[in-house]
Amino acid sequence: MKSDLPPTIYDIARAAKVGIGTVSRVFNNHPSVSNDTRSRVLKVASRYNYQPHPMARGLARRRTNAILVYLPYFTSFFFVEILQSVQSVLGDAGFDLILHGVKHPGNAAESMQKPTTRGRVDGILFFSMKMPEEVLKEYERLSIPLVFVDTHHPAVDSYFVENVRGSRIVTEHLIEKGHVDIGMLNAVRDSSPARERLKGFRDALKEHDLPVNPEWIIHAPPGPLDGFTKESGYHAMKQLLALPKRPTAVVVSSDIQAIGALEAVREGNPKQKIAITGFDDIDLARYFELTTMRQPMSEMGALAANRLLERMQHPGLPPIQRSFVPELIVRKTSAVKAVEHVS
Amino acid sequence: MKSDLPPTIYDIARAAKVGIGTVSRVFNNHPSVSNDTRSRVLKVASRYNYQPHPMARGLARRRTNAILVYLPYFTSFFFVEILQSVQSVLGDAGFDLILHGVKHPGNAAESMQKPTTRGRVDGILFFSMKMPEEVLKEYERLSIPLVFVDTHHPAVDSYFVENVRGSRIVTEHLIEKGHVDIGMLNAVRDSSPARERLKGFRDALKEHDLPVNPEWIIHAPPGPLDGFTKESGYHAMKQLLALPKRPTAVVVSSDIQAIGALEAVREGNPKQKIAITGFDDIDLARYFELTTMRQPMSEMGALAANRLLERMQHPGLPPIQRSFVPELIVRKTSAVKAVEHVS
DNA sequence: CGATTTCATGGAAGGGCTTCCAAAAATACG
DNA sequence: CGTATTTTTGGAAGCCCTTCCATGAAATCG
């Protein structure tokens, strides 16, 4: 009396008076099933409310129809947008999305060794973190398709933003506005976007023969989200404002930090104007009239998801590296005049 | 020469000179394995880098260690926060989180019949949508543990916010501030939070013997996210401002709409002050100094996730209904003085 | 019309695990 | 030391599919 357990392929086969192979073929759209049989099977199946058991399928087919999305603790606005487009692409292709938020991007390695990895997913979308070489090796060994987003590695399909270039562009924007004394509020020093954005900043100053004042380059202390937080921006700006001599403009390494910085400025002496730029162009940026560098997040997400699907079909494709140059979005926070300082 | 395929339990058993049953027991912490054997197996397993195949496990055990999270298109700030706490609870318990974003909450029913549902997950966390009765029946039949968040049903564990009450509280706040002419900008008319919040609004006015002006109650047109969007708030407010006679205060059914409404006001005649309140207390609200009703999102998420785990262990628990009264957060947007209007 | 070829079908063999039962080994008991 | 218990162990059966091979039926051909 296994009466109310979900029906299996055997139940359907029996009820439709066909073999299990035929039922299976029907459900896999295999061409060699006569129309008669096919429709009979389908009718029976729908009467029994039959659905193939995904686990059994996964086991037999050696695939799971699920892909893992690995990203830093996903509270950040940046990821919500990407997730959305990723889900849309994967969902349409019939894949489930398994989410793994990593609390501290630092220990990505550790959390990646969890059993989830093996055999549970057909592919991995890996975001914004540095993947330890040994983990990468492991995935290669298991030949699990892998795509990087917002991070890169020569051996892996990578979709990322040209941070150095973006940062240089925004810095140059400030320079063009006449600023000479420019500072930078950065994320945690050893995070790779932080390093790259710092480089772009330096490059721009150098190219324009402007001095780099080390006092004006403030890195976030080690902390959550690698310092890409409001709080980090707020404190950094407070620190900057406390200096005897301050810059007239500040390049901030992310919008969210820039917003924190704006708050710090607002709290301070209102006379003390200071130009501020962000990076990311998150939704919020518009409200704060924040000049920033727009990253094509949804586009990157969708492209990466598609690439993953492609790679799952054709492993052995050579890895591609696709970079995006972020776009300068000018708003009011950079419209502060440089103090007449030049002499 | 199946040399570089992942090792199976048989490989480990052979290498450790034990039976497969023993290996299995080791990996399931079954007590009746001698310490010697256990450690020998573990050593071999780690040498081979063995990990049990989750699909095979799922098939044999009839469970998957994954839970499905069903929510309206997850771009909304509200959900990010909940997701975060849910993931943390489930992750700690060793469960994977499979995400399904529903684009149009209206057709939840349709998308829920996708094959994913069956056998792929051990439980479902269902957010903020109305679950069609027949779908609910189906889940009951399959006895899939189910927990509702931000929505409720007597037969299902539900964690939700008391919208009616919250809406009344915020409306009363405006009344206490001296407002008499109060309007409401609501989400799509037939969404349940919209209905409830409208009721709370009406109740408050009625109780204080204030008139309800139907012209001042504006519902969002059918659209994405049930009208819980900036755009919807913006347009509704424009519409309201265009009226010959306007209210001095407006209760808005969500923060995100309220922010849109604020934008509309800002664009309009700057002299025309109007008090505005939101609902949710999303992160943004603070920046806009928005008076609003705070919902304990993380708490709800965590409780719901825990409940789901509990229910998976003990099916047959009676459903519990837990409601949360949102908390009034007073900020500046409600500090606009009521125009001296009383006569 | 008999001989090929093509099409549709049934079902065994696997996929990798858990679980149960029976058997072996270790331990306790008198 | 023999017997009764208890602890460990091995491995068949089963979880529910897909896939491949073999077979029978239908269609095609000369």
Side-chain angles (χ1 to χ4, degrees):
Chain A
M1 275 305 125
K2 42 175 354 195
S3 58
D4 60 349
L5 292 180
T8 74
I9 202 172
Y10 288 91
D11 299 323
I12 305 307
R14 200 176 321 119
K17 300 188 195 311
V18 295
I20 55 164
T22 302
V23 177
S24 174
R25 263 161 297 209
V26 168
F27 275 88
N28 290 290
N29 293 317
H30 190 97
S32 71
V33 181
S34 73
N35 284 339
D36 280 9
T37 317
R38 178 180 303 274
S39 66
R40 184 151 39 98
V41 169
L42 285 176
K43 202 172 336 165
V44 173
S46 91
R47 181 150 52 79
Y48 278 63
N49 221 311
Y50 169 75
Q51 288 185 323
H53 191 300
M55 294 275 146
R57 267 197 156 163
L59 186 56
R61 275 199 199 142
R62 284 92 161 288
R63 42 176 289 186
T64 63
N65 269 279
I67 83 100
L68 215 199
V69 171
Y70 236 110
L71 38 70
Y73 212 29
F74 45 69
T75 188
S76 143
F77 302 103
F78 183 85
F79 297 108
V80 176
E81 205 164 314
I82 297 197
L83 253 191
Q84 198 174 305
S85 61
V86 166
Q87 218 241 311
S88 155
V89 171
L90 294 179
D92 290 353
F95 283 80
D96 278 342
L97 186 162
I98 298 186
L99 205 56
H100 270 217
V102 176
K103 293 227 175 103
H104 300 288
N107 57 11
E110 174 211 341
S111 44
M112 298 193 67
Q113 289 301 7
K114 285 280 170 69
T116 299
T117 310
R118 176 200 160 200
R120 192 182 196 71
V121 297
D122 296 334
I124 300 182
L125 230 41
F126 187 84
F127 280 88
S128 307
M129 293 175 288
K130 217 170 6 187
M131 181 180 284
E133 281 297 324
E134 72 266 21
V135 176
L136 183 54
K137 280 269 178 342
E138 179 67 9
Y139 284 139
E140 245 159 31
R141 206 175 59 69
L142 299 171
S143 53
I144 297 181
L146 183 60
V147 173
F148 280 1
V149 185
D150 189 33
T151 178
H152 53 117
H153 187 288
V156 180
D157 289 322
S158 309
Y159 294 80
F160 57 96
V161 158
E162 292 196 19
N163 280 313
V164 178
R165 186 114 158 246
S167 183
R168 197 173 65 200
I169 292 173
V170 74
T171 309
E172 281 172 343
H173 166 69
L174 290 172
I175 294 173
E176 275 163 24
K177 286 266 173 187
H179 290 279
V180 172
D181 297 331
I182 307 178
M184 176 165 191
L185 305 185
N186 208 347
V188 165
R189 175 174 267 110
D190 59 332
S191 89
S192 47
R195 265 204 309 267
E196 295 166 8
R197 289 172 194 177
L198 177 59
K199 179 169 186 333
F201 170 76
R202 291 202 132 107
D203 288 358
L205 292 190
K206 195 163 172 193
E207 196 163 302
H208 292 261
D209 282 325
L210 294 176
V212 175
N213 181 342
E215 262 199 323
W216 292 343
I217 298 183
I218 300 184
H219 281 93
L225 286 166
D226 276 351
F228 288 105
T229 63
K230 267 173 315 201
E231 292 70 25
S232 131
Y234 176 86
H235 291 122
M237 183 55 94
K238 281 283 188 201
Q239 200 177 323
L240 192 69
L241 293 177
L243 292 176
K245 190 183 170 208
R246 313 188 193 93
T248 62
V250 178
V251 171
V252 185
S253 58
S254 72
D255 285 355
I256 198 75
Q257 289 171 87
I259 288 168
L262 283 170
E263 202 169 318
V265 170
R266 199 169 53 185
E267 281 180 11
N269 180 349
K271 303 281 272 297
Q272 174 66 39
K273 290 289 185 193
I274 191 163
I276 289 180
T277 62
F279 209 105
D280 291 341
D281 196 33
I282 61 177
D283 224 33
L284 271 168
R286 203 158 54 82
Y287 294 114
F288 289 91
E289 302 283 8
L290 185 64
T291 292
T292 189
M293 298 303 295
R294 174 174 299 162
Q295 314 203 48
M297 313 189 222
S298 317
E299 191 187 349
M300 277 169 54
L303 283 172
N306 276 312
R307 177 62 177 183
L308 186 57
L309 295 177
E310 197 179 358
R311 176 167 289 286
M312 281 163 36
Q313 305 246 298
H314 318 282
L317 288 174
I320 68 181
Q321 303 281 317
R322 175 96 146 72
S323 72
F324 297 78
V325 179
E327 177 194 359
L328 177 67
I329 306 291
V330 178
R331 299 203 184 89
K332 293 199 188 140
T333 59
S334 65
V336 175
K337 262 207 265 14
V339 198
E340 51 295 328
H341 192 26
V342 194
S343 80
Chain B
M1 274 303 125
K2 41 176 351 194
S3 57
D4 60 348
L5 292 180
T8 73
I9 201 171
Y10 287 90
D11 299 323
I12 305 307
R14 199 176 322 119
K17 300 190 194 311
V18 296
I20 55 164
T22 302
V23 177
S24 174
R25 262 161 298 211
V26 168
F27 276 88
N28 291 289
N29 293 316
H30 190 97
S32 70
V33 181
S34 72
N35 285 340
D36 280 10
T37 317
R38 178 181 303 272
S39 65
R40 183 153 39 99
V41 169
L42 284 176
K43 199 168 344 162
V44 173
S46 91
R47 180 151 51 79
Y48 278 64
N49 220 312
Y50 167 76
Q51 287 185 324
H53 190 300
M55 293 277 145
R57 266 196 159 167
L59 187 56
R61 274 200 200 141
R62 284 90 162 290
R63 41 174 290 182
T64 63
N65 268 281
I67 83 103
L68 214 200
V69 171
Y70 236 109
L71 37 69
Y73 212 31
F74 45 66
T75 188
S76 143
F77 301 103
F78 182 85
F79 298 108
V80 175
E81 205 165 314
I82 297 197
L83 254 190
Q84 196 174 308
S85 62
V86 166
Q87 217 240 318
S88 154
V89 171
L90 294 180
D92 290 353
F95 282 80
D96 278 342
L97 186 161
I98 297 186
L99 206 55
H100 270 218
V102 176
K103 293 227 175 105
H104 299 290
N107 57 10
E110 173 211 342
S111 45
M112 297 192 69
Q113 290 302 6
K114 284 280 170 69
T116 299
T117 311
R118 176 203 162 196
R120 194 180 195 71
V121 297
D122 296 336
I124 299 181
L125 229 42
F126 186 85
F127 280 87
S128 306
M129 293 175 288
K130 216 168 6 181
M131 181 181 284
E133 280 297 323
E134 71 267 21
V135 176
L136 182 55
K137 281 269 179 337
E138 180 66 10
Y139 284 138
E140 244 160 32
R141 208 175 58 68
L142 299 171
S143 52
I144 297 181
L146 182 61
V147 172
F148 281 1
V149 185
D150 190 32
T151 178
H152 52 117
H153 187 287
V156 180
D157 289 323
S158 309
Y159 293 80
F160 57 97
V161 158
E162 292 196 20
N163 280 313
V164 178
R165 186 113 159 244
S167 183
R168 197 173 65 201
I169 292 173
V170 75
T171 309
E172 279 172 345
H173 165 69
L174 291 172
I175 295 173
E176 275 163 25
K177 286 266 175 188
H179 291 279
V180 172
D181 297 330
I182 308 179
M184 174 164 193
L185 305 185
N186 208 346
V188 165
R189 177 175 265 113
D190 60 331
S191 89
S192 47
R195 263 204 310 268
E196 295 167 9
R197 289 173 194 178
L198 177 59
K199 179 170 185 335
F201 171 75
R202 291 202 131 107
D203 288 358
L205 292 189
K206 194 162 170 193
E207 197 163 299
H208 291 261
D209 282 325
L210 294 176
V212 175
N213 182 341
E215 264 200 322
W216 293 344
I217 298 183
I218 300 183
H219 280 93
L225 285 168
D226 276 352
F228 287 105
T229 63
K230 266 174 315 202
E231 291 70 26
S232 131
Y234 177 85
H235 291 122
M237 183 54 97
K238 281 285 186 200
Q239 201 177 324
L240 192 68
L241 292 177
L243 291 177
K245 191 185 171 207
R246 315 190 192 92
T248 61
V250 178
V251 172
V252 186
S253 58
S254 72
D255 285 355
I256 198 75
Q257 291 172 84
I259 288 168
L262 283 170
E263 202 170 317
V265 169
R266 200 171 52 186
E267 280 180 11
N269 179 349
K271 304 279 273 298
Q272 175 65 39
K273 290 287 187 195
I274 190 162
I276 289 181
T277 63
F279 209 106
D280 291 342
D281 197 32
I282 62 179
D283 225 33
L284 273 167
R286 205 158 52 82
Y287 293 114
F288 289 91
E289 303 283 9
L290 185 63
T291 291
T292 189
M293 298 303 295
R294 174 174 300 162
Q295 314 204 48
M297 313 190 222
S298 320
E299 193 188 350
M300 277 169 52
L303 282 172
N306 276 313
R307 177 62 178 183
L308 186 58
L309 294 177
E310 198 179 357
R311 176 167 291 285
M312 281 163 38
Q313 305 246 296
H314 318 283
L317 287 174
I320 68 180
Q321 304 280 317
R322 176 96 145 73
S323 72
F324 296 78
V325 178
E327 178 194 0
L328 177 67
I329 306 292
V330 178
R331 299 202 183 89
K332 292 198 190 141
T333 59
S334 66
V336 175
K337 260 205 279 325
V339 198
E340 51 295 328
H341 191 30
V342 194
S343 84

